[in-house]
């Protein structure tokens, strides 16, 4: 089966290697050398950005065929990015069909976005590290957003090759100090130009008022209270300055172990149940200290578990769920499927696409995360239990699952402002170590784990399955994932609020030093103009009707159901976790007796889960109520827009969801114009509705991977790989397999 086969692919036949070698330098082809130098494109620098090294007469290859074609230009490296400036920039610049980012150009790579660097020596590809004794004739850069760049250096001066290759290797791979990141250079230089977007209503959760507002919104203020005990980070550096705890909990208890062992509120359900999280107490060897910890936990437990009124179910994520190593290993295998060097490699791997995809286990990890979130949802919604998530630092899987549960249960979190506020609350203020997990400082590859990307992929599954329930599009999620590597926004470049505040000068004792003020990633106007931002908003979003529940129940359309495979039990690898060996027996004695009635057998849990899951999917979908994903085998799909957008062969010209979206936008525009005429007749003075982006008006000119696909590189017809003929069989066999041709949208 051709797992990745799509109509409109590029040439896949192995192209015979050309025997002709030109010994004429490219600049000699031009009749007038002066004209060539005058055509050089100007390098645009951001405030505080400095040029470090450059090389001329570099050939940027087209990622197609055997990389024999390309554009000559200059390759530069600054303290912010690697950029290619093409001599024939007009061939690359097509504003009408490109989703233009105002900060990062099509041929720009931020230093933080570089994943791996390879050199080609005598047609052999080798990874490049440290000091080189010999310099390559071709440079290949794999990016974390899965772009692949090929730069030919054969005609570049030897000294320039040494400078640019050494410079790129050093500035992308050498360990860095936090203060040396471009983030701070930009903040200092653009201090007077960092005005925030007035339309950005994201709740930042950096004030006590924000937390009180969230408590009131979720009706959690009856049982929980916002506290300021950690103002100035006097209690713990891992905690935010403000957070929410159970009302009966004394503030003195929060101070005992720097905030560890404290149930911290995440969200309250409509029935009064709450989702909580807790980090582990420090590991102790001394029996006396262990006894103190036991007594402390016993007291904490009594405040949150008071049957029959308050019942708590604990989820120990450190020992009974995924490990961070599982996630990193799976993604490392998964991303290799999309880092394609050329068409030949694409088609050679096409035949074994599904086996490679399955062996990576990435989709299975997504399924397990969604299933665990549904289990937690079932406890909150159906069993009226509080759920306490346990993790060593409560800053990785706790962030992921608490956020997923809220997306499923709270329609506010499915709006763009609500989703951004959720990320601020659970990830930024929750102390997720973005600096380490994204390896921005290049100090330890062991700490790099794409937990946040896993969360976005899980959310994409929900967006893909239930489009009308979300105010934002998959394009929004894709550019949000790209923003992880743009160091002009402070959002994803610190490990905790405390680390951010002390490095931005907000905790400085020097009265004369003015604190730096950085942009947040939520200021989308910095990256995209207004027309491009329209692609982040979902025109299919179903606004909440202003009707009572009784009227609303019968008006919702039933979601399309598909035949699916039966739910399979995924294996969970036992890991040493949260409660260390020394404290295991204490925790079991402390919690085991009290919650033994709550912990059902695995069979009972499975039965409850299946009943809850199947019952919900058997009813019409309320897009402003509880929302559950399908998690059966084929329902978990590859996020094609993010992972395949740079591969020309993976595009369907004039097809895919973009064609449907284009037609819908045309109809919406027609309706808006009719409404405008009606308003004019009634002498309305209201503002005119915004128009749909003109680049969406003709679906025939677009690609299924719009708005990222580079259409001018796309070939017109697919060619099957020659290496796979034996496996595929004869022509008659191929004809029989036509029905097995699979569209990427259904992977």
């Amino acid at each position: 089966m051709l797992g990745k086969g799509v109509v409109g692919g590029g040439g896949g036949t192995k192209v015979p290697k050309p025997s002709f070698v030109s010994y004429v330098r490219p600049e000699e082809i031009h009749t007038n050398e002066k004209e060539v130098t005058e055509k050089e494109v100007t390098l645009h620098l951001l405030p505080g950005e400095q040029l470090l090294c450059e090389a001329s007469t570099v050939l940027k290859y087209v990622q197609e065929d055997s990389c024999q074609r390309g554009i000559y230009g200059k390759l530069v490296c600054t303290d912010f990015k690697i950029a290619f400036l093409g001599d024939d920039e007009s061939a690359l610049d097509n504003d009408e069909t490109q989703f233009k980012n105002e900060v990062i150009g099509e041929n720009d790579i931020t230093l933080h976005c570089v994943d791996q660097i390879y050199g080609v020596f005598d047609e052999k590809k080798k990874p490049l590290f440290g000091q080189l004794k010999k310099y390559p004739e071709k440079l290949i850069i794999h990016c974390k957003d899965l772009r692949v760049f090929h730069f030919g250096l054969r005609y570049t001066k030897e000294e320039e090759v040494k400078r640019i290759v050494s410079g790129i290797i050093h500035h992308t791979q050498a360990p860095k100090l936090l203060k040396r990141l471009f983030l701070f250079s930009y903040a200092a230089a653009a201090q007077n130009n960092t005005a925030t977007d007035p339309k950005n209503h994201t709740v930042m959760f950096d004030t006590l008022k924000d937390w009180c507002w969230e408590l009131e919104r979720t009706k959690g203020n009856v049982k929980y209270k916002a506290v300021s005990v950690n103002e100035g980070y006097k209690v713990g550096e891992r905690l935010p300055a403000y957070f929410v705890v159970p009302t009966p909990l004394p503030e003195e208890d929060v101070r005992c172990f720097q905030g560890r062992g404290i149930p911290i509120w995440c969200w309250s359900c409509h029935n009064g149940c709450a989702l909580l999280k807790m980090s582990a107490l420090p590991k102790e060897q001394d029996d006396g200290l262990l006894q103190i910890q036991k007594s402390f936990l016993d007291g904490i437990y009594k405040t949150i578990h008071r049957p029959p009124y308050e019942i708590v179910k604990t989820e120990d994520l450190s020992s009974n769920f995924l490990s961070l190593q599982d996630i990193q290993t799976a993604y490392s295998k998964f991303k290799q499927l999309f880092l394609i060097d050329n068409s030949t490699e694409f088609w050679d791997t096409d035949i074994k696409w599904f086996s490679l995809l399955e062996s990576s286990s990435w989709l299975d990890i997504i399924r397990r995360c969604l299933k665990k979130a549904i289990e937690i949802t079932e406890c909150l919604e159906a069993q009226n239990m509080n759920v306490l998530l346990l993790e060593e630092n409560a800053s990785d899987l706790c962030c992921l699952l608490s956020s997923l549960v809220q997306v499923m249960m709270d329609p506010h979190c499915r709006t763009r402002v609500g989703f951004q506020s959720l990320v601020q609350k659970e990830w930024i203020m929750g102390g997720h170590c973005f600096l380490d997990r994204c390896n921005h400082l290049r100090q330890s590859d062991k700490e790099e784990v794409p937990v946040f990307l896993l969360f976005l992929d899980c959310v994409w599954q929900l967006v893909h399955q239930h489009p009308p329930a979300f105010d934002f599009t998959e394009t929004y999620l894709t550019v949000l994932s790209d923003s992880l590597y743009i160091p002009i926004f402070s959002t994803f470049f610190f490990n905790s609020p405390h680390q951010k505040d002390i490095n931005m000068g907000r905790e400085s004792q020097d009265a004369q030093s003015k604190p730096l003020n950085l942009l947040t990633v939520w200021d989308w106007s910095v990256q995209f103009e207004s027309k491009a931002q329209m692609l982040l908003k979902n025109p299919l979003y179903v606004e909440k009707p202003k009707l009572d529940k009784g009227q609303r129940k019968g008006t919702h359309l039933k979601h399309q159901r598909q035949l699916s495979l039966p739910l399979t039990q995924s294996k969970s690898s036992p890991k040493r976790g949260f409660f260390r060996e020394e404290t295991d027996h204490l925790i079991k004695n402390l919690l085991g007796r009290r919650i033994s009635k709550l912990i059902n057998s695995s069979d009972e849990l499975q039965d409850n889960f299946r009943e809850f899951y199947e019952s919900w999917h058997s009813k019409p979908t309320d897009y402003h109520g509880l929302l559950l994903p399908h998690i059966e085998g084929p329902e978990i799909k590859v996020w094609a827009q993010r992972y395949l957008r740079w591969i020309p062969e993976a595009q369907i010209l004039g097809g895919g969801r973009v064609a449907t979206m284009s037609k819908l936008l045309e109809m919406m525009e027609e309706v808006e114009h009719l409404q405008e005429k009606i308003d004019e007749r009634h002498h309305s003075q209201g503002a005119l509705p915004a128009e749909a982006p003109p680049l969406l008006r003709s679906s025939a000119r677009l690609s299924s991977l719009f708005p990222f696909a580079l259409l001018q590189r796309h070939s017109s017809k697919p060619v099957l790989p020659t290496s796979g003929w034996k496996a595929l069989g004869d022509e008659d066999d191929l004809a029989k397999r036509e029905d097995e041709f699979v569209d990427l949208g259904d992977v």
Side-chain angles (χ1 to χ4, degrees):
M1 182 183 293
L2 297 180
K4 290 184 297 183
V6 289
V7 177
T13 309
K14 288 191 175 179
V15 180
K17 190 176 172 183
S19 57
F20 174 76
V21 178
S22 172
Y23 294 95
V24 182
R25 291 176 63 85
E27 60 265 29
E28 294 175 26
I29 297 173
H30 298 276
T31 55
N32 191 336
E33 273 193 48
K34 292 183 180 179
E35 285 185 15
V36 178
T37 56
E38 286 173 359
K39 283 178 69 178
E40 283 189 358
V41 182
T42 305
L43 174 65
H44 298 288
L45 298 175
L46 293 175
E49 186 178 3
Q50 295 182 349
L51 178 65
L52 302 176
C53 51
E54 60 183 307
S56 302
T57 328
V58 174
L59 177 64
K60 177 181 177 287
Y61 290 103
V62 174
Q63 189 184 342
E64 189 176 290
D65 303 325
S66 293
C67 295
Q68 298 301 313
R69 296 180 292 133
I71 298 169
Y72 280 95
K74 182 185 288 185
L75 186 62
V76 303
C77 180
T78 73
D79 55 351
F80 170 62
K81 65 177 180 282
I82 300 163
F84 177 78
L85 310 175
D87 291 341
D88 187 13
E89 197 70 12
S90 61
L92 295 172
D93 191 15
N94 189 347
D95 287 341
E96 190 178 1
T97 57
Q98 296 303 310
F99 183 52
K100 187 177 179 183
N101 190 307
E102 302 294 327
V103 178
I104 302 297
E106 178 189 330
N107 292 312
D108 295 345
I109 315 164
T110 66
L111 300 182
H112 297 285
C113 192
V114 174
D115 192 12
Q116 294 289 336
I117 301 174
Y118 299 91
V120 176
F121 303 85
D122 300 324
E123 300 186 5
K124 292 182 179 179
K125 177 179 164 184
K126 298 179 181 178
L128 301 181
F129 301 100
Q131 295 291 330
L132 302 181
K133 295 180 181 178
K134 184 181 178 182
Y135 289 85
E137 58 198 43
K138 183 193 289 185
L139 192 66
I140 302 175
I141 299 178
H142 286 185
C143 304
K144 291 184 178 180
D145 61 5
L146 304 181
R147 288 180 294 170
V148 177
F149 288 87
H150 295 250
F151 298 110
L153 306 172
R154 181 174 295 178
Y155 300 111
T156 310
K157 293 178 181 177
E158 187 177 349
E159 285 303 313
E160 291 186 2
V161 171
K162 289 181 180 179
R163 278 199 299 270
I164 194 68
V165 173
S166 299
I168 289 174
I169 292 173
H170 174 74
H171 292 290
T172 58
Q173 294 183 354
K176 300 176 181 66
L177 296 173
L178 178 58
K179 282 285 192 178
R180 299 299 299 272
L181 294 182
F182 178 72
L183 183 74
F184 296 97
S185 303
Y186 178 81
Q191 189 68 357
N192 298 321
N193 300 317
T194 54
T196 57
D197 183 359
K199 296 180 182 179
N200 177 24
H201 301 298
T202 303
V203 182
M204 305 304 288
F205 291 98
D206 53 0
T207 66
L208 192 64
K209 184 180 178 182
D210 289 347
W211 288 97
C212 292
W213 177 86
E214 180 71 355
L215 272 175
E216 188 175 345
R217 185 187 72 81
T218 60
K219 306 294 189 293
N221 48 358
V222 176
K223 300 177 182 178
Y224 298 89
K225 62 182 179 182
V227 294
S228 57
V229 65
N230 198 37
E231 249 180 348
Y233 304 101
K234 296 171 185 175
V235 173
E237 297 178 357
R238 297 287 306 163
L239 292 171
Y242 311 99
F243 52 94
V244 175
V245 295
T247 300
L249 188 71
E251 290 192 6
E252 304 80 56
D253 286 355
V254 179
R255 296 187 179 93
C256 288
F257 294 99
Q258 298 183 325
R260 289 181 173 273
I262 295 296
I264 294 178
W265 177 87
C266 298
W267 180 76
S268 285
C269 184
H270 62 87
N271 59 14
C273 295
L275 182 61
L276 308 165
K277 64 182 178 182
M278 181 190 289
S279 56
L281 290 175
K283 181 180 176 181
E284 297 290 352
Q285 302 289 341
D286 183 82
D287 289 339
L289 292 174
L290 286 174
Q291 188 60 40
I292 293 173
Q293 287 186 354
K294 177 184 174 182
S295 300
F296 175 77
L297 285 175
D298 192 28
I300 293 295
Y301 186 72
K302 288 177 181 177
T303 65
I304 59 176
H305 182 67
R306 294 172 294 176
Y309 308 106
E310 294 285 332
I311 301 176
V312 176
K313 182 182 186 302
T314 60
E315 287 282 355
D316 188 350
L317 303 178
S318 294
S319 61
N320 299 323
F321 194 48
L322 296 166
S323 71
L324 297 181
Q325 185 60 49
D326 292 337
I327 297 170
Q328 176 62 16
T329 301
Y331 186 71
S332 296
K333 294 178 182 177
F334 178 72
K335 69 181 180 181
Q336 295 305 319
L337 297 173
F338 312 101
L339 293 167
I340 303 294
D341 284 342
N342 52 58
S343 280
T344 305
E345 184 180 341
F346 176 89
W347 290 110
D348 281 348
T349 59
D350 188 62
I351 298 171
K352 50 187 177 181
W353 162 259
F354 279 119
S355 60
L356 292 172
L357 182 62
E358 185 179 11
S359 65
S360 74
S361 298
W362 180 251
L363 295 186
D364 186 57
I365 282 178
I366 293 171
R367 180 180 295 106
R368 290 177 64 184
C369 290
L370 291 171
K371 184 183 178 186
K372 179 61 71 173
I374 296 172
E375 289 174 359
I376 295 168
T377 299
E378 191 263 340
C379 288
L380 292 166
E381 179 79 15
Q383 298 189 36
N384 293 329
M385 290 183 183
N386 293 329
V387 178
L388 178 64
L389 304 177
L390 307 176
E391 192 182 14
E392 187 168 351
N393 289 312
S395 60
D396 287 303
L397 298 174
C398 274
C399 298
L400 188 152
L401 288 173
S402 63
S403 300
L404 271 182
V405 168
Q406 290 174 66
V407 169
M408 290 180 188
M409 299 189 73
D410 190 344
H412 174 70
C413 296
R414 302 196 284 267
T415 65
R416 198 165 90 180
V417 169
F419 184 79
Q420 292 173 176
S421 301
L422 173 68
V423 173
Q424 279 291 141
K425 180 180 70 168
E426 296 298 332
W427 294 84
I428 311 303
M429 292 300 155
H432 181 65
C433 300
F434 282 101
L435 196 65
D436 294 340
R437 295 293 176 249
C438 298
N439 201 15
H440 288 318
L441 298 182
R442 300 283 179 175
Q443 290 182 350
S444 175
D445 291 342
K446 294 179 181 178
E447 296 292 323
E448 185 172 3
V449 186
V451 184
F452 187 68
L453 178 59
L454 174 59
F455 165 65
L456 294 182
D457 207 330
C458 290
V459 173
W460 178 85
Q461 304 293 332
L462 284 158
V463 171
H464 180 76
Q465 293 181 23
H466 305 290
F470 290 86
D471 181 36
F472 49 85
T473 61
E474 67 168 339
T475 302
Y476 168 84
L477 295 174
T478 302
V479 297
L480 181 57
S481 72
D482 292 342
S483 301
L484 284 168
Y485 313 111
I486 304 179
I488 67 171
F489 306 110
S490 61
T491 310
F492 302 127
F493 276 82
F494 294 100
N495 282 338
S496 65
H498 170 260
Q499 187 185 51
K500 176 182 176 181
D501 285 352
I502 61 169
N503 282 283
M504 301 306 287
R506 292 176 186 171
E507 295 295 309
S508 174
Q509 301 298 321
D510 186 0
Q512 303 211 344
S513 66
K514 187 179 179 183
L516 296 173
N517 185 28
L518 270 187
L519 297 169
T520 73
V521 75
W522 315 125
D523 291 326
W524 292 109
S525 58
V526 176
Q527 294 191 66
F528 303 104
E529 60 180 18
S530 56
K531 282 186 179 180
Q533 285 186 61
M534 291 181 71
L535 296 175
L536 308 182
K537 184 173 178 61
N538 181 15
L540 304 180
Y541 176 59
V542 177
E543 294 283 352
K544 189 171 185 179
K546 295 181 179 179
L547 300 170
D548 61 57
K549 291 183 180 179
Q551 290 175 294
R552 190 164 62 237
K553 278 184 181 178
T555 61
H556 287 289
L557 297 174
K558 187 172 182 178
H559 186 66
Q560 283 277 313
R561 310 300 179 203
Q562 298 179 11
L563 294 176
S564 56
L565 299 176
L567 189 66
T568 54
Q569 179 74 30
S570 56
K571 295 180 181 179
S572 58
S573 53
K575 299 289 176 184
R576 292 182 59 193
F578 184 102
F579 300 119
R580 305 294 180 179
E581 289 178 1
E582 292 80 5
T583 58
D584 260 353
H585 66 284
L586 293 176
I587 297 304
K588 287 175 181 175
N589 288 338
L590 172 64
L591 299 183
R593 289 194 302 270
R594 293 185 172 85
I595 65 172
S596 58
K597 294 180 181 179
L598 309 179
I599 300 180
N600 302 317
S601 69
S602 59
D603 290 338
E604 284 183 90
L605 285 173
Q606 185 68 17
D607 290 342
N608 289 340
F609 169 82
R610 181 176 289 278
E611 183 181 351
F612 176 73
Y613 176 82
E614 292 180 351
S615 172
W616 186 89
H617 280 290
S618 68
K619 299 172 184 176
T621 304
D622 178 2
Y623 292 119
H624 292 280
L626 178 64
L627 196 71
L628 299 184
H630 288 281
I631 58 172
E632 296 86 352
E635 299 292 351
I636 305 298
K637 302 180 187 299
V638 172
W639 183 1
Q641 189 193 69
R642 184 186 193 276
Y643 299 122
L644 289 155
R645 54 187 158 153
W646 313 119
I647 304 176
E649 295 77 13
Q651 301 178 43
I652 308 171
L653 289 174
R657 287 197 168 193
V658 70
T660 307
M661 186 73 71
S662 175
K663 295 298 180 186
L664 285 168
L665 288 175
E666 285 177 17
M667 291 174 63
M668 288 174 64
E669 193 173 317
E670 232 180 289
V671 171
E672 285 173 349
H673 281 306
L674 289 171
Q675 184 64 50
E676 183 184 329
K677 289 181 180 180
I678 293 171
D679 291 343
E680 284 177 0
R681 287 189 176 185
H682 289 82
H683 307 287
S684 172
Q685 297 181 354
L688 296 179
E691 288 191 0
L695 64 169
L696 263 179
R697 290 178 185 165
S698 177
S699 59
R701 295 165 54 244
L702 301 177
S703 153
S704 58
L705 299 180
F706 175 87
F708 301 97
L710 308 179
L711 300 186
Q712 66 271 16
R713 288 167 32 195
H714 204 295
S715 301
S716 59
K717 63 178 182 177
V719 182
L720 294 175
T722 55
S723 60
W725 283 115
K726 290 181 181 178
L728 290 170
D730 56 20
E731 291 181 12
D732 293 334
D733 190 34
L734 280 175
K736 292 176 184 176
R737 292 177 181 230
E738 268 189 17
D739 292 336
E740 297 179 2
F741 205 66
V742 178
D743 188 328
L744 273 169
D746 296 326
V747 173

